[in-house]
């Protein structure tokens, strides 16, 4: 087959994005994505080369961090948003991840064997170079449950026929596949659809949470928008949890999501997939992280939760809440949902919700801007209202309580509800509470020599020479024009020698 041309009959559309956050989401033909696998963009090639060098040097954490910046696509279909509820049309493909296959020679041997499989449409090296990724033809799925049945059949098929274990996260309908670079990638436009009924395993699959400890069978699942937002929020918190808070965050968020699974507002398999993927992206102990998620889900399923029910319209300032409804896990004081931010208030008639705003916000990072003479604390804040995400804003700490940045940055779409003074006081506190324990980063806003962690370092707009993880933002300093001055933060021995000779 011509390596420069890939022709798939009626190629389906798939969603594409950038990085682990799936930013700049767009739609592309799967054939075009496959073609790019053989001849990726220059920036992708450079990143993958660096990733493979880091893996070879056993710098796995650095490699994983860089991998999360690659372009990616959802092999199984086109999505309005990268979640189960956002599925527009299934592609009839299942992503297959085969990890840690051994030496390059062993990987190549497995690749050649799989190329003869009639159901495999594509197979190529993973970005790290230590495994393989493949596209398997399966029946088009209407939802996550049908997709899961195809995964279980494929898992059984690969185990029986090749004695290979597929990464269980591939059961996720919206599983993300990072772009790779493999000039010898194999493609078969005539691949056949796997017979799911033939290969579906008869025993109860081990990769699903067993319901033996539940007192009764769960209610029929009907995905609820509020529960879906809880799941998305939980995954984001797990992905960004700082060291020292990761275990607690996984446990608490998995329990919260489990509550909505137990009440029939979320698919159990989907929730498990998303939570495990989030946990694996932010851990040094994948096995322990997985166990925490599974235990948390099991605990939550046993204590079902229902979305909050309001007795008045969404536009009202106060709403009476069912007494059995527990507050959002972020805090016992506040509730955050698609309608905005509210605080819990005890009255003689019971607990009520007092709405504070029509948006939610949180501090995601504390930044210490250091100009060499003094440091000034700033907060990096993210906010959203319903499906609308506001632009990120960095606010000086001394200006935070006034909330003046709300109207200035978010415009009239963001509303702080009356009574204004009281609402502002509560809302600023709610934003702080929602952020939890926030990572603090020192950001240097000047050039020249500094002592950093006991080491002398020279700062330019690209960072500190020969020191990693040093953040420099000269545009935030007293002279933004300094941002034009840059020196490479790392140098090879050859670059050092040539620089000395040039000098």
């Amino acid at each position: 087959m011509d390596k420069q041309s890939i022709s798939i009959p009626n190629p389906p559309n798939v969603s594409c994005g950038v990085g682990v956050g799936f930013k700049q989401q767009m739609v592309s033909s799967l054939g075009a994505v496959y073609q790019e696998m053989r001849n990726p963009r220059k920036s992708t090639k450079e990143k993958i080369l660096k990733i493979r060098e880091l893996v070879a040097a056993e710098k796995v954490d650095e490699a994983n961090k860089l991998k999360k910046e690659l372009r990616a696509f959802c092999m199984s279909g086109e999505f309005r948003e990268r979640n189960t509820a956002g599925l527009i049309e299934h592609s009839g493909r299942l992503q297959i991840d085969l990890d840690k296959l051994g030496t390059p020679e062993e990987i190549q041997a497995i690749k050649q064997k799989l190329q003869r499989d009639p159901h495999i449409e594509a197979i190529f090296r993973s970005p790290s170079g230590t495994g393989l990724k493949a596209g398997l033809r399966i029946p088009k799925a209407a939802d996550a449950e049908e997709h899961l049945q195809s995964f279980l059949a494929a898992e059984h098929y690969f185990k029986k026929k090749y004695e290979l274990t597929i990464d269980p996260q591939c059961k996720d309908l919206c599983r993300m596949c990072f772009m790779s670079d493999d000039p010898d990638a194999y493609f078969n436009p005539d691949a056949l659809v796997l017979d799911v009924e033939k290969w579906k395993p008869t025993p109860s699959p081990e990769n699903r949470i067993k319901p033996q400890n539940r007192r009764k069978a769960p209610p029929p699942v009907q995905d609820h928008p509020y529960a879906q937002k809880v799941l998305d929020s939980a995954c984001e918190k797990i992905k960004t949890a700082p060291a020292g808070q990761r275990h607690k965050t996984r446990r608490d968020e998995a329990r919260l999501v489990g509550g909505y699974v137990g009440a029939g507002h979320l698919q159990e398999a989907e929730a498990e997939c998303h939570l495990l993927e989030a946990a694996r992206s932010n851990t040094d102990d994948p096995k322990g992280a997985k166990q925490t998620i599974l235990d948390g889900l099991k605990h939550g399923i046993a204590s079902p939760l229902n979305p909050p029910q309001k007795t008045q319209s969404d536009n009202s300032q106060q709403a009476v809440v069912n007494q059995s409804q527990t507050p959002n896990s972020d805090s016992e004081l506040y509730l955050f949902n698609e309608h905005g931010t509210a605080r819990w208030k005890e009255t003689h008639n019971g607990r009520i919700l007092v709405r504070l705003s029509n948006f939610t916000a949180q501090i995601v990072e504390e930044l210490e801007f250091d100009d060499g003479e003094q440091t000034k604390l700033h907060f990096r804040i993210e906010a959203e209202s319903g499906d609308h995400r506001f632009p990120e804003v960095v606010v000086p700490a001394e200006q935070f309580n006034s909330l003046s940045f709300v109207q200035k940055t978010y415009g009239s779409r963001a509303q702080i509800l009356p009574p204004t003074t009281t609402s502002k006081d509560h809302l600023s506190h709610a934003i702080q509470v929602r952020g939890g324990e926030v990572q603090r980063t020192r950001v240097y806003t000047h050039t020249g020599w500094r002592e950093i962690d006991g080491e002398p370092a020279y700062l330019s707009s690209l960072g500190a020479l020969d020191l990693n993880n040093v953040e420099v933002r000269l545009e935030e300093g007293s002279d933004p024009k300094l941002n034009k001055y840059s020196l490479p933060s790392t140098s090879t021995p050859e670059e050092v020698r040539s620089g000395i000779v040039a000098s």
Side-chain angles (χ1 to χ4, degrees):
M1 183 178 175
D2 181 5
K3 288 187 179 182
Q4 302 305 314
S5 175
I6 298 171
S7 178
I8 298 175
N10 302 314
N13 286 335
V14 294
S15 291
C16 304
V18 177
V20 71
F22 216 62
K23 298 177 181 177
Q24 302 172 33
Q25 187 169 329
M26 58 174 290
V27 175
S28 181
S29 158
L30 184 58
V33 173
Y34 283 161
Q35 183 70 51
E36 188 175 343
M37 209 70 68
R38 280 185 176 156
N39 186 25
R41 304 176 184 186
K42 182 181 178 183
S43 59
T44 302
K45 269 183 171 289
E46 291 172 348
K47 283 181 180 177
I48 291 175
L49 177 61
K50 183 65 176 175
I51 288 168
R52 291 173 180 171
E53 288 175 350
L54 289 169
V55 170
E58 298 184 351
K59 297 180 179 179
V60 179
D61 289 342
E62 291 182 46
N64 287 337
K65 183 177 180 181
L66 188 57
K67 186 181 78 169
K68 293 174 184 177
E69 299 175 4
L70 290 170
R71 296 181 66 248
F73 65 100
C74 294
M75 188 177 287
S76 292
E78 180 183 354
F79 297 81
R80 283 185 295 275
E81 295 179 345
R82 201 180 75 83
N83 55 46
T84 301
L87 177 66
I88 296 174
E89 185 174 4
H90 197 276
S91 68
R93 275 76 175 172
L94 175 71
Q95 179 178 330
I96 303 294
D97 289 356
L98 301 167
D99 302 320
K100 299 177 182 178
L101 298 177
T103 66
E105 292 75 20
E106 290 171 322
I107 293 173
Q108 184 61 24
I110 294 172
K111 183 180 178 184
Q112 289 177 347
K113 183 189 293 186
L114 293 178
Q115 286 176 187
R116 296 191 289 271
D117 190 288
H119 306 296
I120 289 181
E121 181 177 68
I123 186 165
F124 46 91
R125 289 176 69 198
S126 64
S128 67
T130 61
L132 293 170
K133 292 182 179 291
L136 185 78
R137 290 295 307 272
I138 60 172
K140 279 193 172 186
D143 53 31
E145 186 59 34
E146 286 188 11
H147 181 87
L148 175 62
Q149 296 309 312
S150 292
F151 166 80
L152 295 174
E155 184 180 48
H156 188 225
Y157 177 76
F158 271 74
K159 196 73 175 176
K160 288 290 184 182
K161 191 165 185 178
Y162 300 110
E163 295 185 350
L164 292 172
T165 301
I166 303 173
D167 186 333
Q169 298 309 305
C170 292
K171 63 186 173 185
D172 186 355
L173 172 62
C174 49
R175 173 82 168 159
M176 198 166 53
C177 182
F178 286 110
M179 191 62 66
S180 191
D181 178 11
D182 186 353
D184 296 318
Y186 167 81
F187 301 100
N188 175 18
D190 301 316
L192 304 176
V193 174
L194 182 71
D195 187 340
V196 170
E197 289 302 318
K198 175 182 176 181
W199 289 100
K200 190 184 297 183
T202 49
S204 179
E206 294 179 0
N207 61 323
R208 301 189 71 182
I209 301 172
K210 298 178 182 179
Q212 68 265 26
N213 292 329
R214 298 184 202 172
R215 295 181 179 178
K216 58 182 180 179
V221 177
Q222 293 183 338
D223 286 344
H224 192 285
Y226 180 86
Q228 186 63 54
K229 279 188 172 290
V230 169
L231 175 59
D232 293 343
S233 174
C235 290
E236 187 61 30
K237 289 171 190 170
I238 290 170
K239 288 177 183 177
T240 57
Q245 290 291 313
R246 291 172 185 165
H247 173 77
K248 181 179 184 299
T249 302
R250 293 182 199 121
R251 181 197 65 200
D252 292 349
E253 296 303 322
R255 287 181 177 181
L256 178 66
V257 171
Y260 291 101
V261 171
H265 301 300
L266 283 174
Q267 295 277 353
E268 182 177 330
E270 177 202 355
E272 180 186 331
C273 284
H274 281 283
L275 291 172
L276 287 175
E277 183 177 12
R280 290 174 60 169
S281 72
N282 184 22
T283 183
D284 299 322
D285 178 17
K287 187 175 179 180
K290 177 181 178 180
Q291 193 59 51
T292 301
I293 293 294
L294 295 180
D295 289 346
L297 266 174
K298 183 178 178 181
H299 183 280
I301 288 171
S303 303
L305 286 174
N306 291 306
Q309 299 294 320
K310 297 182 177 181
T311 60
Q312 301 180 29
S313 69
D314 288 340
N315 294 323
S316 65
Q317 185 186 351
Q318 296 186 344
V320 179
V321 179
N322 186 311
Q323 293 299 305
S324 64
Q325 178 66 39
T326 53
N328 185 283
S329 66
D330 292 293
S331 169
E332 294 183 355
L333 299 175
Y334 303 101
L335 183 71
F336 308 95
N337 60 29
E338 68 269 29
H339 301 299
T341 305
R343 70 181 179 93
W344 297 95
K345 181 180 179 181
E346 297 291 343
T347 73
H348 64 279
N349 291 323
R351 177 184 291 152
I352 64 171
L353 276 177
V354 180
R355 294 189 68 210
L356 302 176
S357 69
N358 69 341
F359 63 92
T360 58
Q362 64 179 327
I363 299 170
V364 294
E365 187 177 18
E366 294 181 347
L367 301 170
E368 284 186 328
F369 288 158
D370 185 334
D371 65 5
E373 295 182 358
Q374 60 180 340
T375 60
K376 291 185 177 181
L377 182 63
H378 290 64
F379 299 147
R380 183 163 69 87
I381 299 172
E382 293 180 352
E384 59 186 4
S385 177
D387 295 329
H388 177 76
R389 185 174 291 275
F390 292 110
E392 181 184 286
V393 61
V394 176
V395 179
E398 67 270 16
Q399 297 178 17
F400 170 74
N401 282 340
S402 70
L403 297 183
S404 58
F405 67 90
V406 171
Q407 201 167 34
K408 181 179 178 181
T409 309
Y410 306 153
S412 60
R413 184 164 188 160
Q415 301 167 12
I416 301 174
L417 302 178
T420 307
T421 304
T422 306
S423 292
K424 279 189 175 180
D425 293 341
H426 284 294
L427 182 58
S428 61
H429 183 234
I431 294 171
Q432 289 174 295
V433 165
R434 192 178 189 218
E437 186 174 329
V438 180
Q439 174 183 333
R440 178 170 293 194
T441 302
R442 176 156 294 200
V443 181
Y444 296 93
T445 62
H446 67 97
T447 60
W449 288 101
R450 277 298 299 271
E451 184 177 296
I452 300 175
D453 297 332
E455 295 284 338
Y458 192 86
L459 304 175
S460 77
S461 63
L462 292 181
L465 269 64
D466 296 319
L467 272 184
N468 295 324
N469 302 319
V470 175
E471 188 165 351
V472 178
R473 296 188 192 178
L474 299 181
E475 67 273 14
E476 302 287 352
S478 56
D479 187 357
K481 293 180 181 178
L482 289 174
N483 201 40
K484 298 177 182 178
Y485 295 93
S486 62
L487 293 170
S489 57
T490 58
S491 302
T492 65
E494 181 56 38
E495 288 171 335
V496 172
R497 284 194 292 272
S498 63
I500 293 173
V501 170
S503 299

